[in-house]
Amino acid sequence: MISAESLKKEYFDWLLNEEIFRDAGTSDRPVVEIDTPFLDDDFDDIILYAYQSKNQKIMLTDNGWTLDNLSSHGVTFDKRSTARNKILSEILANYGISKDTGSKKLYINAFRRDFPAVKQRLLQGILKIVDINYLSKENVMNSFSDEVAKIFDKHDILYSQSKAVIGRNGLSFIFDFIIPTKNRNSCDKLIRTFANPKFINSAKIFSWDASRINSFSSGRNSSFFAIINDSDERGKHLNNFADILNENETNKSVIKSIAYSTIEDNIALLKN
């Protein structure tokens, strides 16, 4: 029989078995390699590294993989790439990620007690950055989230953009949009946008986040939405992406999927 507790156990059992931690440094310079079960757009595991830092802190980093991988696909961030640099800077700021000035390394410094939340935040940021690879040339001036924002503005929907939600467990979760509701009996709408549904690991992370948040305002459960880009060949991955969003479904976290091509038809669901 399905229950919130059984699904949570199954998910964490999967994560425990699939996520591999290895000691990769030396006694003088300890390093932990974290091979996550989340895949990049080349279907390779996303690997993170934890380094001992000063003052009881650790540095969690991708060791430059994310930007180096984008560069191999022709997506660069040189001085001429002003539009991409703007998008990258916004993502880094939203997720509290720093970029090493002398390399392509992305990292977060944090106290060790905050490691679980920081690891999740770095993964979310990496997945957003990988989405830059899927921006069309004619749309490179705007991220997919910007296109969604234009529709919200068109319909006079009030929203906060790129804001954090604090769950009951104290972890913070970043959402592309938070739409407050006028009805006191309704809950705020928490929205993430996805540029390419082929990249299913974004769905897995959203599913995990939604199940952990439960509620954050006045004891009411949050309302979750995923707005998914289904243009061109992306549309064929839409149903699979939507199924994965709710593979860990409980009564407290059901994610409503909206294809970008149908957002005007579903605008009533998103209004304040």
Side-chain angles (χ1 to χ4, degrees):
M1 181 178 295
I2 190 171
S3 70
E5 192 61 33
S6 65
L7 285 177
K8 183 173 73 172
K9 183 179 183 303
E10 289 173 16
Y11 178 80
F12 283 110
D13 285 347
W14 168 80
L15 192 60
L16 182 64
N17 291 327
E18 295 294 327
E19 196 162 57
I20 301 171
F21 288 69
R22 301 185 187 93
D23 289 315
T26 65
S27 57
D28 295 332
R29 192 169 185 263
V31 180
V32 177
E33 180 184 276
I34 307 167
D35 192 337
T36 77
F38 301 105
L39 307 179
D40 62 23
D41 52 340
D42 290 326
F43 298 98
D44 295 323
D45 293 347
I46 294 175
I47 299 177
L48 304 177
Y49 299 87
Y51 293 86
Q52 184 71 53
S53 189
K54 299 178 181 179
N55 301 322
Q56 302 299 313
K57 287 187 174 183
I58 63 171
M59 180 181 72
L60 195 64
T61 176
D62 70 340
N63 269 357
W65 165 86
T66 306
L67 297 184
D68 192 55
N69 185 55
L70 282 175
S71 179
S72 71
H73 288 280
V75 180
T76 59
F77 297 90
D78 55 29
K79 292 181 179 180
R80 294 174 298 176
S81 308
T82 55
R84 292 195 190 108
N85 285 329
K86 177 178 178 291
I87 294 171
L88 177 63
S89 296
E90 289 176 350
I91 294 173
L92 295 180
N94 291 339
Y95 288 89
I97 300 171
S98 299
K99 179 184 176 298
D100 184 69
T101 54
S103 70
K104 297 178 181 179
K105 181 185 295 184
L106 305 178
Y107 67 92
I108 300 177
N109 280 317
F111 286 105
R112 184 169 176 174
R113 64 176 179 270
D114 297 323
F115 166 74
V118 169
K119 173 176 165 290
Q120 190 74 358
R121 184 151 48 90
L122 183 58
L123 269 174
Q124 288 181 45
I126 286 173
L127 293 175
K128 278 291 182 184
I129 292 168
V130 170
D131 272 351
I132 296 175
N133 194 29
Y134 298 111
L135 293 179
S136 60
K137 292 182 180 179
E138 64 272 14
N139 194 36
V140 73
M141 291 302 295
N142 295 299
S143 68
F144 182 55
S145 294
D146 291 330
E147 296 304 308
V148 173
K150 289 179 182 178
I151 295 178
F152 290 169
D153 293 338
K154 172 185 173 183
H155 291 275
D156 296 321
I157 295 174
L158 300 177
Y159 58 86
S160 296
Q161 197 165 3
S162 300
K163 296 294 184 181
V165 168
I166 307 300
R168 286 177 175 176
N169 50 17
L171 297 181
S172 62
F173 305 86
I174 307 294
F175 285 87
D176 295 315
F177 301 96
I178 299 178
I179 297 179
T181 57
K182 298 176 182 178
N183 188 338
R184 292 183 178 180
N185 296 320
S186 299
C187 53
D188 292 345
K189 299 168 184 180
L190 308 182
I191 300 169
R192 282 188 185 158
T193 59
F194 300 93
N196 196 320
K198 180 180 178 180
F199 202 30
I200 61 173
N201 292 283
S202 299
K204 291 181 179 180
I205 287 183
F206 192 8
S207 177
W208 187 87
D209 288 352
S211 69
R212 298 295 290 171
I213 290 175
N214 292 330
S215 63
F216 73 97
S217 176
S218 304
R220 294 172 296 173
N221 295 330
S222 302
S223 180
F224 302 100
F225 291 85
I227 300 177
I228 308 165
N229 187 357
D230 61 333
S231 62
D232 51 65
E233 76 282 355
R234 296 174 179 87
K236 65 183 180 182
H237 302 287
L238 183 67
N239 290 336
N240 183 46
F241 192 91
D243 289 342
I244 291 171
L245 282 170
N246 287 303
E247 65 181 359
N248 297 314
E249 177 184 315
T250 72
N251 290 332
K252 292 186 176 181
S253 59
V254 177
I255 302 170
K256 171 69 176 177
S257 300
I258 299 177
Y260 183 71
S261 63
T262 68
I263 193 170
E264 295 280 0
D265 297 330
N266 289 283
I267 202 67
L269 294 174
L270 300 168
K271 286 189 174 181
N272 302 98

PDB file of all heavy atoms in Angstrom, residues 77-104:
ATOM      1  N   PHE A  77      31.654  31.614 -22.570  1.00  0.00           N
ATOM      2  CA  PHE A  77      31.317  32.780 -21.757  1.00  0.00           C
ATOM      3  C   PHE A  77      32.468  33.786 -21.801  1.00  0.00           C
ATOM      4  O   PHE A  77      32.956  34.245 -20.776  1.00  0.00           O
ATOM      5  CB  PHE A  77      31.024  32.353 -20.316  1.00  0.00           C
ATOM      6  CG  PHE A  77      29.835  31.449 -20.176  1.00  0.00           C
ATOM      7  CD1 PHE A  77      29.995  30.071 -20.260  1.00  0.00           C
ATOM      8  CD2 PHE A  77      28.563  31.966 -20.009  1.00  0.00           C
ATOM      9  CE1 PHE A  77      28.900  29.219 -20.151  1.00  0.00           C
ATOM     10  CE2 PHE A  77      27.465  31.128 -19.906  1.00  0.00           C
ATOM     11  CZ  PHE A  77      27.636  29.752 -19.980  1.00  0.00           C
ATOM     12  N   ASP A  78      32.912  34.120 -23.012  1.00  0.00           N
ATOM     13  CA  ASP A  78      33.977  35.111 -23.153  1.00  0.00           C
ATOM     14  C   ASP A  78      33.379  36.521 -23.112  1.00  0.00           C
ATOM     15  O   ASP A  78      32.172  36.704 -22.918  1.00  0.00           O
ATOM     16  CB  ASP A  78      34.770  34.869 -24.438  1.00  0.00           C
ATOM     17  CG  ASP A  78      33.869  34.847 -25.678  1.00  0.00           C
ATOM     18  OD1 ASP A  78      32.820  35.516 -25.671  1.00  0.00           O
ATOM     19  OD2 ASP A  78      34.223  34.154 -26.655  1.00  0.00           O
ATOM     20  N   LYS A  79      34.224  37.516 -23.323  1.00  0.00           N
ATOM     21  CA  LYS A  79      33.781  38.911 -23.213  1.00  0.00           C
ATOM     22  C   LYS A  79      32.718  39.271 -24.240  1.00  0.00           C
ATOM     23  O   LYS A  79      31.932  40.203 -24.034  1.00  0.00           O
ATOM     24  CB  LYS A  79      34.979  39.837 -23.351  1.00  0.00           C
ATOM     25  CG  LYS A  79      35.959  39.750 -22.190  1.00  0.00           C
ATOM     26  CD  LYS A  79      37.113  40.720 -22.371  1.00  0.00           C
ATOM     27  CE  LYS A  79      38.078  40.642 -21.192  1.00  0.00           C
ATOM     28  NZ  LYS A  79      39.222  41.582 -21.357  1.00  0.00           N
ATOM     29  N   ARG A  80      32.680  38.555 -25.358  1.00  0.00           N
ATOM     30  CA  ARG A  80      31.697  38.845 -26.405  1.00  0.00           C
ATOM     31  C   ARG A  80      30.338  38.229 -26.105  1.00  0.00           C
ATOM     32  O   ARG A  80      29.333  38.594 -26.715  1.00  0.00           O
ATOM     33  CB  ARG A  80      32.212  38.330 -27.746  1.00  0.00           C
ATOM     34  CG  ARG A  80      33.453  39.047 -28.252  1.00  0.00           C
ATOM     35  CD  ARG A  80      33.998  38.388 -29.500  1.00  0.00           C
ATOM     36  NE  ARG A  80      34.419  37.015 -29.242  1.00  0.00           N
ATOM     37  CZ  ARG A  80      34.871  36.169 -30.164  1.00  0.00           C
ATOM     38  NH1 ARG A  80      34.945  36.569 -31.429  1.00  0.00           N
ATOM     39  NH2 ARG A  80      35.249  34.948 -29.842  1.00  0.00           N
ATOM     40  N   SER A  81      30.298  37.285 -25.151  1.00  0.00           N
ATOM     41  CA  SER A  81      29.052  36.561 -24.854  1.00  0.00           C
ATOM     42  C   SER A  81      28.277  37.288 -23.760  1.00  0.00           C
ATOM     43  O   SER A  81      28.026  36.741 -22.678  1.00  0.00           O
ATOM     44  CB  SER A  81      29.364  35.119 -24.432  1.00  0.00           C
ATOM     45  OG  SER A  81      30.195  34.474 -25.359  1.00  0.00           O
ATOM     46  N   THR A  82      27.903  38.524 -24.034  1.00  0.00           N
ATOM     47  CA  THR A  82      27.278  39.348 -22.992  1.00  0.00           C
ATOM     48  C   THR A  82      25.949  38.777 -22.517  1.00  0.00           C
ATOM     49  O   THR A  82      25.637  38.816 -21.324  1.00  0.00           O
ATOM     50  CB  THR A  82      27.085  40.781 -23.499  1.00  0.00           C
ATOM     51  OG1 THR A  82      26.342  40.747 -24.731  1.00  0.00           O
ATOM     52  CG2 THR A  82      28.421  41.459 -23.733  1.00  0.00           C
ATOM     53  N   ALA A  83      25.148  38.257 -23.438  1.00  0.00           N
ATOM     54  CA  ALA A  83      23.840  37.720 -23.058  1.00  0.00           C
ATOM     55  C   ALA A  83      23.994  36.480 -22.180  1.00  0.00           C
ATOM     56  O   ALA A  83      23.345  36.354 -21.133  1.00  0.00           O
ATOM     57  CB  ALA A  83      23.026  37.376 -24.305  1.00  0.00           C
ATOM     58  N   ARG A  84      24.874  35.568 -22.594  1.00  0.00           N
ATOM     59  CA  ARG A  84      25.098  34.360 -21.798  1.00  0.00           C
ATOM     60  C   ARG A  84      25.711  34.703 -20.439  1.00  0.00           C
ATOM     61  O   ARG A  84      25.362  34.105 -19.421  1.00  0.00           O
ATOM     62  CB  ARG A  84      26.010  33.386 -22.545  1.00  0.00           C
ATOM     63  CG  ARG A  84      25.387  32.763 -23.787  1.00  0.00           C
ATOM     64  CD  ARG A  84      26.206  31.561 -24.236  1.00  0.00           C
ATOM     65  NE  ARG A  84      25.788  31.091 -25.550  1.00  0.00           N
ATOM     66  CZ  ARG A  84      26.496  31.242 -26.654  1.00  0.00           C
ATOM     67  NH1 ARG A  84      27.668  31.854 -26.603  1.00  0.00           N
ATOM     68  NH2 ARG A  84      26.060  30.774 -27.807  1.00  0.00           N
ATOM     69  N   ASN A  85      26.626  35.651 -20.435  1.00  0.00           N
ATOM     70  CA  ASN A  85      27.246  36.045 -19.167  1.00  0.00           C
ATOM     71  C   ASN A  85      26.208  36.605 -18.200  1.00  0.00           C
ATOM     72  O   ASN A  85      26.284  36.359 -16.989  1.00  0.00           O
ATOM     73  CB  ASN A  85      28.341  37.091 -19.416  1.00  0.00           C
ATOM     74  CG  ASN A  85      29.597  36.477 -19.994  1.00  0.00           C
ATOM     75  OD1 ASN A  85      29.917  35.324 -19.717  1.00  0.00           O
ATOM     76  ND2 ASN A  85      30.316  37.243 -20.797  1.00  0.00           N
ATOM     77  N   LYS A  86      25.255  37.349 -18.738  1.00  0.00           N
ATOM     78  CA  LYS A  86      24.192  37.904 -17.892  1.00  0.00           C
ATOM     79  C   LYS A  86      23.343  36.784 -17.285  1.00  0.00           C
ATOM     80  O   LYS A  86      23.041  36.793 -16.089  1.00  0.00           O
ATOM     81  CB  LYS A  86      23.301  38.840 -18.713  1.00  0.00           C
ATOM     82  CG  LYS A  86      22.115  39.422 -17.967  1.00  0.00           C
ATOM     83  CD  LYS A  86      21.336  40.369 -18.854  1.00  0.00           C
ATOM     84  CE  LYS A  86      20.106  40.926 -18.135  1.00  0.00           C
ATOM     85  NZ  LYS A  86      19.076  39.878 -17.920  1.00  0.00           N
ATOM     86  N   ILE A  87      22.981  35.806 -18.105  1.00  0.00           N
ATOM     87  CA  ILE A  87      22.178  34.683 -17.617  1.00  0.00           C
ATOM     88  C   ILE A  87      22.959  33.894 -16.578  1.00  0.00           C
ATOM     89  O   ILE A  87      22.431  33.527 -15.512  1.00  0.00           O
ATOM     90  CB  ILE A  87      21.753  33.777 -18.787  1.00  0.00           C
ATOM     91  CG1 ILE A  87      20.793  34.525 -19.715  1.00  0.00           C
ATOM     92  CG2 ILE A  87      21.081  32.499 -18.270  1.00  0.00           C
ATOM     93  CD1 ILE A  87      20.495  33.792 -21.008  1.00  0.00           C
ATOM     94  N   LEU A  88      24.235  33.615 -16.869  1.00  0.00           N
ATOM     95  CA  LEU A  88      25.070  32.871 -15.925  1.00  0.00           C
ATOM     96  C   LEU A  88      25.190  33.611 -14.597  1.00  0.00           C
ATOM     97  O   LEU A  88      25.053  33.009 -13.522  1.00  0.00           O
ATOM     98  CB  LEU A  88      26.458  32.635 -16.527  1.00  0.00           C
ATOM     99  CG  LEU A  88      27.474  31.935 -15.622  1.00  0.00           C
ATOM    100  CD1 LEU A  88      27.011  30.534 -15.259  1.00  0.00           C
ATOM    101  CD2 LEU A  88      28.853  31.901 -16.284  1.00  0.00           C
ATOM    102  N   SER A  89      25.438  34.912 -14.660  1.00  0.00           N
ATOM    103  CA  SER A  89      25.592  35.711 -13.437  1.00  0.00           C
ATOM    104  C   SER A  89      24.325  35.674 -12.589  1.00  0.00           C
ATOM    105  O   SER A  89      24.388  35.595 -11.351  1.00  0.00           O
ATOM    106  CB  SER A  89      25.951  37.154 -13.786  1.00  0.00           C
ATOM    107  OG  SER A  89      27.209  37.220 -14.426  1.00  0.00           O
ATOM    108  N   GLU A  90      23.176  35.728 -13.245  1.00  0.00           N
ATOM    109  CA  GLU A  90      21.907  35.698 -12.518  1.00  0.00           C
ATOM    110  C   GLU A  90      21.710  34.351 -11.826  1.00  0.00           C
ATOM    111  O   GLU A  90      21.258  34.292 -10.675  1.00  0.00           O
ATOM    112  CB  GLU A  90      20.748  35.978 -13.469  1.00  0.00           C
ATOM    113  CG  GLU A  90      20.684  37.422 -13.940  1.00  0.00           C
ATOM    114  CD  GLU A  90      19.586  37.657 -14.962  1.00  0.00           C
ATOM    115  OE1 GLU A  90      18.994  36.660 -15.446  1.00  0.00           O
ATOM    116  OE2 GLU A  90      19.317  38.832 -15.285  1.00  0.00           O
ATOM    117  N   ILE A  91      22.045  33.265 -12.517  1.00  0.00           N
ATOM    118  CA  ILE A  91      21.898  31.936 -11.912  1.00  0.00           C
ATOM    119  C   ILE A  91      22.824  31.792 -10.707  1.00  0.00           C
ATOM    120  O   ILE A  91      22.418  31.321  -9.636  1.00  0.00           O
ATOM    121  CB  ILE A  91      22.187  30.826 -12.945  1.00  0.00           C
ATOM    122  CG1 ILE A  91      21.129  30.841 -14.048  1.00  0.00           C
ATOM    123  CG2 ILE A  91      22.216  29.451 -12.265  1.00  0.00           C
ATOM    124  CD1 ILE A  91      21.430  29.897 -15.206  1.00  0.00           C
ATOM    125  N   LEU A  92      24.070  32.212 -10.865  1.00  0.00           N
ATOM    126  CA  LEU A  92      25.032  32.105  -9.768  1.00  0.00           C
ATOM    127  C   LEU A  92      24.562  32.912  -8.556  1.00  0.00           C
ATOM    128  O   LEU A  92      24.645  32.439  -7.413  1.00  0.00           O
ATOM    129  CB  LEU A  92      26.407  32.598 -10.226  1.00  0.00           C
ATOM    130  CG  LEU A  92      27.096  31.782 -11.327  1.00  0.00           C
ATOM    131  CD1 LEU A  92      28.454  32.396 -11.664  1.00  0.00           C
ATOM    132  CD2 LEU A  92      27.256  30.327 -10.933  1.00  0.00           C
ATOM    133  N   ALA A  93      24.042  34.116  -8.799  1.00  0.00           N
ATOM    134  CA  ALA A  93      23.566  34.957  -7.702  1.00  0.00           C
ATOM    135  C   ALA A  93      22.347  34.336  -7.025  1.00  0.00           C
ATOM    136  O   ALA A  93      22.241  34.332  -5.787  1.00  0.00           O
ATOM    137  CB  ALA A  93      23.233  36.353  -8.223  1.00  0.00           C
ATOM    138  N   ASN A  94      21.428  33.794  -7.828  1.00  0.00           N
ATOM    139  CA  ASN A  94      20.203  33.232  -7.268  1.00  0.00           C
ATOM    140  C   ASN A  94      20.473  32.022  -6.374  1.00  0.00           C
ATOM    141  O   ASN A  94      19.781  31.804  -5.375  1.00  0.00           O
ATOM    142  CB  ASN A  94      19.247  32.816  -8.393  1.00  0.00           C
ATOM    143  CG  ASN A  94      18.671  34.008  -9.136  1.00  0.00           C
ATOM    144  OD1 ASN A  94      18.655  35.125  -8.616  1.00  0.00           O
ATOM    145  ND2 ASN A  94      18.224  33.790 -10.357  1.00  0.00           N
ATOM    146  N   TYR A  95      21.474  31.236  -6.733  1.00  0.00           N
ATOM    147  CA  TYR A  95      21.756  30.010  -5.987  1.00  0.00           C
ATOM    148  C   TYR A  95      22.934  30.157  -5.028  1.00  0.00           C
ATOM    149  O   TYR A  95      23.335  29.183  -4.397  1.00  0.00           O
ATOM    150  CB  TYR A  95      22.006  28.846  -6.960  1.00  0.00           C
ATOM    151  CG  TYR A  95      20.742  28.382  -7.632  1.00  0.00           C
ATOM    152  CD1 TYR A  95      20.317  28.961  -8.824  1.00  0.00           C
ATOM    153  CD2 TYR A  95      19.940  27.390  -7.068  1.00  0.00           C
ATOM    154  CE1 TYR A  95      19.140  28.562  -9.442  1.00  0.00           C
ATOM    155  CE2 TYR A  95      18.773  26.987  -7.671  1.00  0.00           C
ATOM    156  CZ  TYR A  95      18.374  27.570  -8.856  1.00  0.00           C
ATOM    157  OH  TYR A  95      17.191  27.171  -9.452  1.00  0.00           O
ATOM    158  N   GLY A  96      23.464  31.342  -4.899  1.00  0.00           N
ATOM    159  CA  GLY A  96      24.553  31.573  -3.962  1.00  0.00           C
ATOM    160  C   GLY A  96      25.823  30.836  -4.332  1.00  0.00           C
ATOM    161  O   GLY A  96      26.567  30.378  -3.458  1.00  0.00           O
ATOM    162  N   ILE A  97      26.091  30.716  -5.636  1.00  0.00           N
ATOM    163  CA  ILE A  97      27.260  30.000  -6.133  1.00  0.00           C
ATOM    164  C   ILE A  97      28.315  31.007  -6.577  1.00  0.00           C
ATOM    165  O   ILE A  97      27.993  32.023  -7.198  1.00  0.00           O
ATOM    166  CB  ILE A  97      26.884  29.084  -7.313  1.00  0.00           C
ATOM    167  CG1 ILE A  97      25.836  28.049  -6.871  1.00  0.00           C
ATOM    168  CG2 ILE A  97      28.110  28.379  -7.882  1.00  0.00           C
ATOM    169  CD1 ILE A  97      25.245  27.243  -8.021  1.00  0.00           C
ATOM    170  N   SER A  98      29.566  30.714  -6.264  1.00  0.00           N
ATOM    171  CA  SER A  98      30.675  31.566  -6.692  1.00  0.00           C
ATOM    172  C   SER A  98      31.415  30.908  -7.845  1.00  0.00           C
ATOM    173  O   SER A  98      31.421  29.687  -7.985  1.00  0.00           O
ATOM    174  CB  SER A  98      31.649  31.803  -5.530  1.00  0.00           C
ATOM    175  OG  SER A  98      31.005  32.459  -4.461  1.00  0.00           O
ATOM    176  N   LYS A  99      32.071  31.740  -8.667  1.00  0.00           N
ATOM    177  CA  LYS A  99      32.917  31.239  -9.750  1.00  0.00           C
ATOM    178  C   LYS A  99      34.338  31.695  -9.495  1.00  0.00           C
ATOM    179  O   LYS A  99      34.589  32.873  -9.248  1.00  0.00           O
ATOM    180  CB  LYS A  99      32.439  31.768 -11.104  1.00  0.00           C
ATOM    181  CG  LYS A  99      33.296  31.287 -12.275  1.00  0.00           C
ATOM    182  CD  LYS A  99      32.843  31.911 -13.593  1.00  0.00           C
ATOM    183  CE  LYS A  99      33.752  31.496 -14.738  1.00  0.00           C
ATOM    184  NZ  LYS A  99      35.156  31.958 -14.530  1.00  0.00           N
ATOM    185  N   ASP A 100      35.268  30.753  -9.543  1.00  0.00           N
ATOM    186  CA  ASP A 100      36.669  31.062  -9.335  1.00  0.00           C
ATOM    187  C   ASP A 100      37.164  31.967 -10.471  1.00  0.00           C
ATOM    188  O   ASP A 100      36.929  31.685 -11.654  1.00  0.00           O
ATOM    189  CB  ASP A 100      37.482  29.769  -9.297  1.00  0.00           C
ATOM    190  CG  ASP A 100      38.942  30.023  -8.990  1.00  0.00           C
ATOM    191  OD1 ASP A 100      39.242  30.412  -7.848  1.00  0.00           O
ATOM    192  OD2 ASP A 100      39.773  29.847  -9.906  1.00  0.00           O
ATOM    193  N   THR A 101      37.832  33.046 -10.113  1.00  0.00           N
ATOM    194  CA  THR A 101      38.250  34.023 -11.129  1.00  0.00           C
ATOM    195  C   THR A 101      39.336  33.484 -12.049  1.00  0.00           C
ATOM    196  O   THR A 101      39.474  33.944 -13.180  1.00  0.00           O
ATOM    197  CB  THR A 101      38.763  35.313 -10.453  1.00  0.00           C
ATOM    198  OG1 THR A 101      39.798  34.967  -9.519  1.00  0.00           O
ATOM    199  CG2 THR A 101      37.627  36.016  -9.720  1.00  0.00           C
ATOM    200  N   GLY A 102      40.099  32.514 -11.590  1.00  0.00           N
ATOM    201  CA  GLY A 102      41.186  32.017 -12.408  1.00  0.00           C
ATOM    202  C   GLY A 102      40.895  30.726 -13.138  1.00  0.00           C
ATOM    203  O   GLY A 102      41.774  30.161 -13.793  1.00  0.00           O
ATOM    204  N   SER A 103      39.655  30.232 -13.025  1.00  0.00           N
ATOM    205  CA  SER A 103      39.308  28.963 -13.673  1.00  0.00           C
ATOM    206  C   SER A 103      37.813  28.925 -13.946  1.00  0.00           C
ATOM    207  O   SER A 103      37.106  29.915 -13.752  1.00  0.00           O
ATOM    208  CB  SER A 103      39.708  27.776 -12.783  1.00  0.00           C
ATOM    209  OG  SER A 103      38.867  27.703 -11.642  1.00  0.00           O
ATOM    210  N   LYS A 104      37.334  27.764 -14.368  1.00  0.00           N
ATOM    211  CA  LYS A 104      35.902  27.572 -14.615  1.00  0.00           C
ATOM    212  C   LYS A 104      35.194  26.945 -13.415  1.00  0.00           C
ATOM    213  O   LYS A 104      34.027  26.576 -13.491  1.00  0.00           O
ATOM    214  CB  LYS A 104      35.705  26.682 -15.845  1.00  0.00           C
ATOM    215  CG  LYS A 104      36.246  27.281 -17.135  1.00  0.00           C
ATOM    216  CD  LYS A 104      36.068  26.326 -18.303  1.00  0.00           C
ATOM    217  CE  LYS A 104      36.646  26.926 -19.575  1.00  0.00           C
ATOM    218  NZ  LYS A 104      36.513  25.993 -20.726  1.00  0.00           N
TER     219      LYS A 104
END
